[in-house]
Amino acid sequence: MRTHEDQWLEDIYRNTLPRVAGVIHRMGGHLEMAKDIFQDAVIIYLEKQQQNKLPAGVPAEAYITGIARILAIRKLKQSGPHIPLDNMDSDIGVPADYYAPPPVAKPVLEYVKAAGKRCLQLLHAFYYDHLSIQEIAADFNFKTQHSASVQKYKCLEKVREQIKQSDYAETVS
């Protein structure tokens, strides 16, 4: 003699197992995996039901399908398409021509030369000869130290502008 619980379980299997199998198949699983996961999902559902921890208003089919989906994701993550390192081909890698070669930057001296001979001499005196602004003002015949400092700043700005234009030209071409 069939009980109400037996009929309920039969209905769950008949109506929900095909849905769960479809979900698992779309995720890359197979029928045997779907049956195992479905069994686990039904057991979890029945345990939750016994503990009165089921959300109100959610049909059993939907809850079991949701549990099965979560279990399938976990199982597929664990047994997913992992390739042992021993079986990997040694020639797998990034092709040599995959990345564009990095732009070849001109040496800074080229940019300083492009700023002009006087700038080259002034910056050389300050950075390489370690002359003070007072000495540069005297050597280059500036009226004040401030004039020498302003001229040094203008030379640096010319060099920066040359570099910016060069970088822009390289990125455009």
Side-chain angles (χ1 to χ4, degrees):
M1 179 159 133
R2 289 190 160 202
T3 65
H4 177 67
E5 290 177 3
D6 290 341
Q7 183 62 43
W8 177 85
L9 201 55
E10 187 178 309
D11 290 344
I12 288 292
Y13 269 84
R14 188 179 312 113
N15 298 329
T16 310
L17 178 59
R19 184 181 307 161
V20 168
V23 167
I24 291 174
H25 177 72
R26 284 189 296 278
M27 296 171 80
H30 49 79
L31 182 60
E32 290 304 314
M33 177 190 288
K35 288 179 183 178
D36 290 342
I37 289 174
F38 180 75
Q39 292 287 336
D40 293 341
V42 168
I43 290 170
I44 291 170
Y45 176 82
L46 292 173
E47 287 174 352
K48 296 275 187 186
Q49 186 181 40
Q50 219 172 24
Q51 297 168 358
N52 292 324
K53 292 186 177 180
L54 290 174
V58 177
E61 294 83 8
Y63 195 82
I64 291 171
T65 304
I67 292 171
R69 182 186 316 264
I70 292 168
L71 293 174
I73 289 170
R74 288 180 185 165
K75 187 166 188 148
L76 290 170
K77 274 186 181 178
Q78 290 173 354
S79 66
H82 298 287
I83 301 172
L85 293 177
D86 298 340
N87 297 344
M88 290 195 63
D89 293 335
S90 60
D91 60 348
I92 293 177
V94 178
D97 61 345
Y98 183 76
Y99 297 107
V104 179
K106 287 195 279 184
V108 175
L109 183 59
E110 295 297 319
Y111 296 114
V112 175
K113 285 180 182 177
K117 186 176 180 180
R118 184 145 169 99
C119 280
L120 174 66
Q121 292 170 341
L122 188 137
L123 293 173
H124 188 275
F126 185 78
Y127 289 106
Y128 291 101
D129 296 338
H130 302 288
L131 297 179
S132 67
I133 290 293
Q134 296 89 355
E135 293 170 317
I136 291 174
D139 290 351
F140 287 84
N141 297 321
F142 289 109
K143 292 183 181 180
T144 65
Q145 293 175 14
H146 180 71
S147 298
S149 182
V150 168
Q151 188 57 44
K152 181 182 104 27
Y153 175 79
K154 287 182 179 180
C155 288
L156 286 174
E157 284 302 308
K158 283 183 183 179
V159 172
R160 285 187 188 114
E161 190 59 36
Q162 290 285 331
I163 292 171
K164 282 181 189 177
Q165 287 177 357
S166 175
D167 287 345
Y168 178 74
E170 288 174 7
T171 57
V172 171
S173 56

